[in-house]
Amino acid sequence: MTATPNVPEDRSRSHHGEYKVPGGKLVVVDFDVVDGALSDVSLSGDFFLEPDEALQAINKSLTGLPESTTAADLSGAVTGSLPPDAVLFGFSANAVATTVRRALAQATSWSDHHWDVIAPTVLPTHVNVALDEVLTEEVGAGRRNPTLRFWDWEEPSVVIGSFQSVRNELHPGGVARHGITVVRRISGGGAMFMEAGNCITYSLYVPQTLVDGISFADSYAFLDAWVMAALEKLGISAFYVPLNDIATEQGKIGGAAQKRLANGGMLHHVTMSYDIDADKMVEVLRIGKEKLSDKGTRSAKKRVDPLRRQTGLARTEIIAAMMDVFTERYSATPSELSSAELAVARERVAGKFGTEEWLHRVP
Protein backbone atom coordinates (compact mmCIF):
# COMPACT_ATOMS: atom_id res chain seq x y z
CA MET A 1 0.00 0.00 0.00
CA THR A 2 1.44 3.39 -1.01
CA ALA A 3 1.73 5.95 1.75
CA THR A 4 0.02 9.29 1.28
CA PRO A 5 2.55 12.14 1.23
CA ASN A 6 2.30 14.52 4.18
CA VAL A 7 1.27 17.62 2.19
CA PRO A 8 -0.09 20.65 4.05
CA GLU A 9 -3.77 21.28 3.45
CA ASP A 10 -4.35 23.98 0.82
CA ARG A 11 -7.33 25.80 2.31
CA SER A 12 -8.51 29.24 1.34
CA ARG A 13 -9.44 31.40 4.27
CA SER A 14 -12.66 33.36 4.32
CA HIS A 15 -11.06 36.83 4.44
CA HIS A 16 -8.37 38.15 2.12
CA GLY A 17 -6.87 41.64 2.02
CA GLU A 18 -4.12 43.36 0.05
CA TYR A 19 -2.42 46.73 0.44
CA LYS A 20 0.40 48.20 -1.65
CA VAL A 21 2.44 50.55 0.52
CA PRO A 22 3.11 53.84 -1.33
CA GLY A 23 6.71 53.59 -2.45
CA GLY A 24 6.95 50.25 -0.67
CA LYS A 25 5.89 46.63 -0.90
CA LEU A 26 2.71 44.57 -1.18
CA VAL A 27 1.20 43.33 2.08
CA VAL A 28 -1.29 40.43 1.99
CA VAL A 29 -3.27 38.87 4.81
CA ASP A 30 -5.60 35.86 4.94
CA PHE A 31 -7.67 34.72 7.91
CA ASP A 32 -11.00 33.36 9.09
CA VAL A 33 -13.41 34.97 11.52
CA VAL A 34 -14.70 32.65 14.24
CA ASP A 35 -17.16 33.92 16.86
CA GLY A 36 -16.34 37.49 15.95
CA ALA A 37 -12.56 37.12 16.27
CA LEU A 38 -9.69 36.75 13.79
CA SER A 39 -8.58 33.15 13.41
CA ASP A 40 -5.70 31.42 11.66
CA VAL A 41 -4.09 34.68 10.51
CA SER A 42 -1.46 34.41 7.78
CA LEU A 43 0.57 37.46 6.70
CA SER A 44 2.53 37.41 3.43
CA GLY A 45 3.95 39.72 0.79
CA ASP A 46 7.08 40.82 -1.05
CA PHE A 47 8.34 42.87 1.91
CA PHE A 48 11.50 42.22 3.94
CA LEU A 49 11.35 41.18 7.59
CA GLU A 50 14.03 40.21 10.08
CA PRO A 51 14.26 37.96 11.98
CA ASP A 52 12.22 35.22 10.29
CA GLU A 53 10.46 34.44 13.55
CA ALA A 54 8.84 37.89 13.53
CA LEU A 55 6.37 36.73 10.87
CA GLN A 56 4.83 34.13 13.16
CA ALA A 57 4.89 36.62 16.03
CA ILE A 58 2.79 39.02 13.95
CA ASN A 59 0.35 36.27 12.97
CA LYS A 60 -0.01 35.24 16.61
CA SER A 61 -0.54 38.83 17.76
CA LEU A 62 -3.48 39.26 15.39
CA THR A 63 -5.11 35.88 15.95
CA GLY A 64 -7.88 36.17 18.50
CA LEU A 65 -8.43 39.91 18.17
CA PRO A 66 -12.07 41.01 17.74
CA GLU A 67 -13.02 41.83 14.17
CA SER A 68 -14.09 45.25 15.47
CA THR A 69 -10.52 46.10 16.55
CA THR A 70 -9.51 49.58 15.38
CA ALA A 71 -6.66 50.20 12.99
CA ALA A 72 -4.65 51.82 15.79
CA ASP A 73 -5.09 48.79 18.07
CA LEU A 74 -4.22 46.35 15.26
CA SER A 75 -1.06 48.32 14.60
CA GLY A 76 -0.27 48.38 18.31
CA ALA A 77 -0.68 44.62 18.57
CA VAL A 78 1.76 44.08 15.70
CA THR A 79 4.30 46.50 17.17
CA GLY A 80 4.02 44.88 20.59
CA SER A 81 4.71 41.44 19.15
CA LEU A 82 7.99 42.35 17.49
CA PRO A 83 11.36 41.53 19.06
CA PRO A 84 13.59 44.53 19.83
CA ASP A 85 15.88 43.79 16.89
CA ALA A 86 13.09 43.41 14.33
CA VAL A 87 13.49 45.22 11.01
CA LEU A 88 10.51 45.89 8.74
CA PHE A 89 11.52 47.08 5.28
CA GLY A 90 8.95 48.09 2.67
CA PHE A 91 6.01 47.90 5.09
CA SER A 92 5.00 48.78 8.64
CA ALA A 93 2.67 47.82 11.47
CA ASN A 94 0.21 50.41 10.13
CA ALA A 95 0.33 48.73 6.71
CA VAL A 96 -0.56 45.39 8.29
CA ALA A 97 -3.48 47.04 10.10
CA THR A 98 -4.74 48.57 6.87
CA THR A 99 -4.56 45.20 5.13
CA VAL A 100 -6.54 43.50 7.89
CA ARG A 101 -9.17 46.24 7.81
CA ARG A 102 -9.47 45.86 4.04
CA ALA A 103 -9.99 42.12 4.44
CA LEU A 104 -12.81 42.91 6.86
CA ALA A 105 -14.30 45.48 4.42
CA GLN A 106 -13.77 48.17 7.05
CA ALA A 107 -11.16 49.79 4.83
CA THR A 108 -11.43 50.11 1.07
CA SER A 109 -9.09 50.25 -1.89
CA TRP A 110 -9.28 52.38 -5.03
CA SER A 111 -10.79 49.45 -6.96
CA ASP A 112 -13.68 49.16 -4.50
CA HIS A 113 -15.17 52.43 -5.76
CA HIS A 114 -16.56 53.87 -8.96
CA TRP A 115 -14.66 57.09 -9.66
CA ASP A 116 -15.92 60.21 -11.41
CA VAL A 117 -13.83 62.96 -13.02
CA ILE A 118 -15.02 66.54 -13.45
CA ALA A 119 -13.10 68.53 -16.06
CA PRO A 120 -12.09 72.16 -15.39
CA THR A 121 -15.09 74.48 -15.15
CA VAL A 122 -14.65 78.25 -14.77
CA LEU A 123 -16.30 79.31 -11.51
CA PRO A 124 -15.75 82.13 -8.99
CA THR A 125 -13.09 81.22 -6.44
CA HIS A 126 -15.63 81.47 -3.61
CA VAL A 127 -17.78 78.86 -5.37
CA ASN A 128 -14.78 76.58 -5.95
CA VAL A 129 -14.01 76.65 -2.23
CA ALA A 130 -17.65 76.10 -1.27
CA LEU A 131 -17.88 73.14 -3.66
CA ASP A 132 -15.05 71.47 -1.79
CA GLU A 133 -17.22 71.40 1.33
CA VAL A 134 -20.42 70.45 -0.51
CA LEU A 135 -18.93 67.61 -2.58
CA THR A 136 -17.01 66.19 0.38
CA GLU A 137 -20.31 66.03 2.27
CA GLU A 138 -22.01 64.38 -0.71
CA VAL A 139 -19.37 61.66 -0.98
CA GLY A 140 -19.42 61.09 2.78
CA ALA A 141 -23.21 60.69 2.68
CA GLY A 142 -23.01 58.28 -0.28
CA ARG A 143 -24.95 60.58 -2.62
CA ARG A 144 -22.01 61.05 -5.01
CA ASN A 145 -19.31 58.68 -6.22
CA PRO A 146 -15.77 59.47 -5.09
CA THR A 147 -14.70 62.24 -7.43
CA LEU A 148 -11.70 64.05 -8.88
CA ARG A 149 -12.50 67.68 -9.80
CA PHE A 150 -10.23 70.15 -11.55
CA TRP A 151 -10.76 73.82 -10.74
CA ASP A 152 -10.82 76.77 -13.09
CA TRP A 153 -11.37 80.47 -12.31
CA GLU A 154 -10.83 83.95 -13.74
CA GLU A 155 -10.26 86.41 -10.91
CA PRO A 156 -6.77 86.62 -9.30
CA SER A 157 -7.13 85.03 -5.88
CA VAL A 158 -5.46 83.97 -2.68
CA VAL A 159 -6.96 80.97 -0.91
CA ILE A 160 -5.74 80.84 2.69
CA GLY A 161 -5.75 77.81 4.98
CA SER A 162 -8.45 77.28 7.57
CA PHE A 163 -6.20 78.29 10.46
CA GLN A 164 -4.13 81.06 8.89
CA SER A 165 -4.25 84.68 9.99
CA VAL A 166 -5.35 87.17 7.33
CA ARG A 167 -3.16 89.83 8.91
CA ASN A 168 -0.07 87.66 9.02
CA GLU A 169 -0.40 86.08 5.56
CA LEU A 170 -1.25 89.02 3.30
CA HIS A 171 0.15 92.41 2.30
CA PRO A 172 -2.99 94.62 2.19
CA GLY A 173 -1.34 97.00 -0.29
CA GLY A 174 -0.47 94.22 -2.70
CA VAL A 175 -3.94 92.70 -2.38
CA ALA A 176 -5.58 96.02 -3.23
CA ARG A 177 -3.12 96.98 -5.98
CA HIS A 178 -3.54 93.70 -7.85
CA GLY A 179 -7.29 93.26 -7.24
CA ILE A 180 -6.90 89.98 -5.36
CA THR A 181 -9.94 88.05 -4.15
CA VAL A 182 -9.15 86.53 -0.73
CA VAL A 183 -11.00 83.36 0.33
CA ARG A 184 -10.61 81.02 3.30
CA ARG A 185 -10.96 77.26 2.66
CA ILE A 186 -12.01 74.46 5.05
CA SER A 187 -8.65 72.64 5.03
CA GLY A 188 -5.46 73.58 6.80
CA GLY A 189 -2.13 74.32 5.15
CA GLY A 190 -0.71 77.42 3.55
CA ALA A 191 -1.89 80.20 1.27
CA MET A 192 -2.31 79.62 -2.47
CA PHE A 193 -1.66 82.51 -4.89
CA MET A 194 -3.80 81.80 -7.94
CA GLU A 195 -4.14 83.82 -11.13
CA ALA A 196 -6.12 82.47 -14.07
CA GLY A 197 -3.94 80.01 -15.96
CA ASN A 198 -0.97 80.22 -13.60
CA CYS A 199 -1.57 77.03 -11.62
CA ILE A 200 -3.31 73.67 -11.68
CA THR A 201 -5.69 72.91 -8.82
CA TYR A 202 -7.63 69.70 -8.25
CA SER A 203 -9.73 68.27 -5.44
CA LEU A 204 -10.29 64.63 -4.51
CA TYR A 205 -13.46 63.78 -2.61
CA VAL A 206 -13.11 60.33 -1.07
CA PRO A 207 -14.58 58.16 1.69
CA GLN A 208 -12.31 57.98 4.69
CA THR A 209 -12.36 54.18 4.41
CA LEU A 210 -9.87 54.63 1.56
CA VAL A 211 -7.21 55.84 4.03
CA ASP A 212 -8.28 53.72 7.01
CA GLY A 213 -5.17 52.70 8.92
CA ILE A 214 -2.89 54.91 6.85
CA SER A 215 -1.16 57.62 8.86
CA PHE A 216 -2.13 61.23 8.24
CA ALA A 217 1.32 61.91 6.78
CA ASP A 218 1.35 58.84 4.53
CA SER A 219 -2.14 59.57 3.20
CA TYR A 220 -0.82 62.53 1.19
CA ALA A 221 1.50 60.47 -0.98
CA PHE A 222 -1.05 57.64 -1.12
CA LEU A 223 -3.77 59.88 -2.55
CA ASP A 224 -1.39 61.52 -5.04
CA ALA A 225 0.31 58.41 -6.41
CA TRP A 226 -1.66 58.79 -9.65
CA VAL A 227 -0.51 62.37 -10.21
CA MET A 228 3.10 61.38 -9.59
CA ALA A 229 2.65 58.80 -12.35
CA ALA A 230 1.17 61.47 -14.63
CA LEU A 231 4.09 63.81 -13.99
CA GLU A 232 6.51 60.94 -14.66
CA LYS A 233 4.75 60.39 -17.98
CA LEU A 234 5.44 64.05 -18.78
CA GLY A 235 9.12 63.65 -17.94
CA ILE A 236 8.99 65.08 -14.42
CA SER A 237 10.30 63.06 -11.50
CA ALA A 238 8.36 64.46 -8.54
CA PHE A 239 8.38 63.50 -4.87
CA TYR A 240 6.82 64.51 -1.57
CA VAL A 241 8.67 66.72 0.89
CA PRO A 242 6.98 66.09 4.26
CA LEU A 243 4.41 66.98 5.16
CA ASN A 244 2.57 68.28 2.13
CA ASP A 245 4.92 69.81 -0.47
CA ILE A 246 5.34 68.29 -3.94
CA ALA A 247 8.74 68.99 -5.44
CA THR A 248 11.29 68.10 -8.09
CA GLU A 249 15.05 68.57 -8.07
CA GLN A 250 14.43 72.07 -9.47
CA GLY A 251 12.22 73.18 -6.58
CA LYS A 252 8.70 73.06 -5.15
CA ILE A 253 5.91 72.69 -7.69
CA GLY A 254 2.90 72.35 -5.40
CA GLY A 255 1.32 71.71 -2.06
CA ALA A 256 -1.55 69.61 -0.71
CA ALA A 257 -4.13 70.04 2.05
CA GLN A 258 -6.80 67.84 3.60
CA LYS A 259 -10.01 67.96 5.63
CA ARG A 260 -11.91 65.05 7.13
CA LEU A 261 -15.62 65.50 7.89
CA ALA A 262 -17.67 63.82 10.60
CA ASN A 263 -19.90 62.06 8.05
CA GLY A 264 -16.98 60.03 6.66
CA GLY A 265 -16.13 62.22 3.69
CA MET A 266 -12.60 63.46 3.08
CA LEU A 267 -11.20 66.30 0.99
CA HIS A 268 -7.69 66.15 -0.46
CA HIS A 269 -6.70 68.98 -2.75
CA VAL A 270 -3.54 70.14 -4.47
CA THR A 271 -2.37 73.32 -6.17
CA MET A 272 0.61 73.15 -8.52
CA SER A 273 2.40 76.17 -9.98
CA TYR A 274 2.21 76.29 -13.76
CA ASP A 275 3.39 79.79 -14.70
CA ILE A 276 3.34 81.76 -11.47
CA ASP A 277 4.29 85.46 -11.33
CA ALA A 278 6.75 85.23 -8.45
CA ASP A 279 7.24 89.00 -8.22
CA LYS A 280 3.52 89.58 -7.80
CA MET A 281 3.23 86.65 -5.39
CA VAL A 282 5.68 88.18 -2.91
CA GLU A 283 3.90 91.52 -3.18
CA VAL A 284 0.66 89.81 -2.12
CA LEU A 285 1.82 87.13 0.34
CA ARG A 286 3.91 87.62 3.46
CA ILE A 287 6.42 84.77 3.15
CA GLY A 288 8.81 85.29 6.02
CA LYS A 289 12.18 83.84 6.93
CA GLU A 290 10.66 81.42 9.42
CA LYS A 291 8.44 79.92 6.70
CA LEU A 292 11.53 79.27 4.57
CA SER A 293 13.79 78.22 7.44
CA ASP A 294 13.52 74.45 6.76
CA LYS A 295 13.19 74.69 2.96
CA GLY A 296 16.86 75.12 2.06
CA THR A 297 16.35 78.48 0.38
CA ARG A 298 16.28 82.12 1.40
CA SER A 299 13.96 83.31 -1.36
CA ALA A 300 10.28 82.57 -1.84
CA LYS A 301 10.74 83.24 -5.56
CA LYS A 302 13.43 80.57 -5.86
CA ARG A 303 11.37 78.11 -3.83
CA VAL A 304 8.70 77.71 -6.53
CA ASP A 305 9.60 76.27 -9.94
CA PRO A 306 6.58 76.21 -12.29
CA LEU A 307 5.52 73.30 -14.44
CA ARG A 308 5.58 75.35 -17.64
CA ARG A 309 9.34 75.79 -17.39
CA GLN A 310 9.91 72.14 -16.51
CA THR A 311 7.68 70.64 -19.21
CA GLY A 312 7.33 73.21 -21.99
CA LEU A 313 3.72 72.05 -22.30
CA ALA A 314 0.48 74.01 -22.26
CA ARG A 315 -1.48 73.94 -19.03
CA THR A 316 -4.37 72.19 -20.82
CA GLU A 317 -2.02 69.42 -21.98
CA ILE A 318 -0.79 68.77 -18.44
CA ILE A 319 -4.33 68.63 -17.07
CA ALA A 320 -5.37 66.30 -19.90
CA ALA A 321 -2.46 63.97 -19.07
CA MET A 322 -3.46 63.96 -15.42
CA MET A 323 -7.07 63.14 -16.27
CA ASP A 324 -5.97 60.37 -18.64
CA VAL A 325 -3.74 58.69 -16.06
CA PHE A 326 -6.41 58.89 -13.34
CA THR A 327 -9.09 57.56 -15.69
CA GLU A 328 -6.96 54.68 -16.89
CA ARG A 329 -5.66 53.74 -13.45
CA TYR A 330 -9.02 53.79 -11.65
CA SER A 331 -11.49 53.16 -14.53
CA ALA A 332 -13.02 56.58 -13.88
CA THR A 333 -15.85 58.06 -15.92
CA PRO A 334 -16.60 61.70 -16.85
CA SER A 335 -19.01 63.57 -14.61
CA GLU A 336 -20.43 67.05 -14.17
CA LEU A 337 -21.50 69.27 -11.32
CA SER A 338 -25.24 69.00 -10.81
CA SER A 339 -27.45 72.07 -10.67
CA ALA A 340 -28.33 71.13 -7.08
CA GLU A 341 -24.67 70.95 -6.04
CA LEU A 342 -23.96 74.33 -7.59
CA ALA A 343 -27.02 75.84 -5.92
CA VAL A 344 -25.96 74.58 -2.50
CA ALA A 345 -22.41 75.85 -3.10
CA ARG A 346 -23.72 79.34 -3.91
CA GLU A 347 -25.83 79.24 -0.75
CA ARG A 348 -22.68 78.40 1.22
CA VAL A 349 -20.92 81.37 -0.35
CA ALA A 350 -23.73 83.68 0.78
CA GLY A 351 -23.92 82.21 4.26
CA LYS A 352 -20.31 81.31 4.97
CA PHE A 353 -17.45 81.52 2.47
CA GLY A 354 -18.29 85.00 1.22
CA THR A 355 -18.76 86.52 4.67
CA GLU A 356 -16.33 88.67 6.61
CA GLU A 357 -16.96 86.51 9.69
CA TRP A 358 -15.58 83.42 7.96
CA LEU A 359 -12.70 85.18 6.23
CA HIS A 360 -11.54 86.91 9.42
CA ARG A 361 -12.29 84.11 11.87
CA VAL A 362 -8.53 84.08 12.45
CA PRO A 363 -7.70 87.81 12.22
Side-chain angles (χ1 to χ4, degrees), residues 302-323:
K302 293 180 180 178
R303 187 179 169 221
V304 179
D305 195 78
L307 287 171
R308 181 179 183 180
R309 180 161 56 250
Q310 293 196 34
T311 66
L313 297 174
R315 176 175 176 267
T316 53
E317 292 180 274
I318 297 175
I319 292 175
M322 290 180 176
M323 293 177 65

Side-chain angles (χ1 to χ4, degrees), residues 70-141:
T70 65
D73 287 342
L74 288 167
S75 178
V78 171
T79 300
S81 74
L82 296 171
D85 60 342
V87 177
L88 286 68
F89 185 76
F91 79 121
S92 65
N94 285 340
V96 176
T98 298
T99 313
V100 171
R101 298 274 291 180
R102 284 189 174 184
L104 291 165
Q106 294 167 333
T108 57
S109 65
W110 294 90
S111 61
D112 292 324
H113 303 283
H114 181 93
W115 293 90
D116 289 344
V117 178
I118 300 176
T121 304
V122 176
L123 293 165
T125 306
H126 282 96
V127 175
N128 274 310
V129 170
L131 278 168
D132 273 357
E133 182 174 75
V134 172
L135 296 184
T136 304
E137 290 174 355
E138 292 296 288
V139 170

Side-chain angles (χ1 to χ4, degrees), residues 18 24 27 31 57 80 117 126 140 167 212 233 254-255 263 268 271 297 300 303 315 337-338 362:
E18 298 184 3
V27 182
F31 57 85
V117 178
H126 282 96
R167 180 177 56 244
D212 184 278
K233 187 176 180 180
N263 77 342
H268 173 92
T271 291
T297 180
R303 187 179 169 221
R315 176 175 176 267
L337 294 165
S338 70
V362 182

Side-chain angles (χ1 to χ4, degrees), residues 240-245 294-295:
Y240 255 92
V241 178
L243 173 68
N244 61 333
D245 283 353
D294 64 344
K295 307 298 183 183

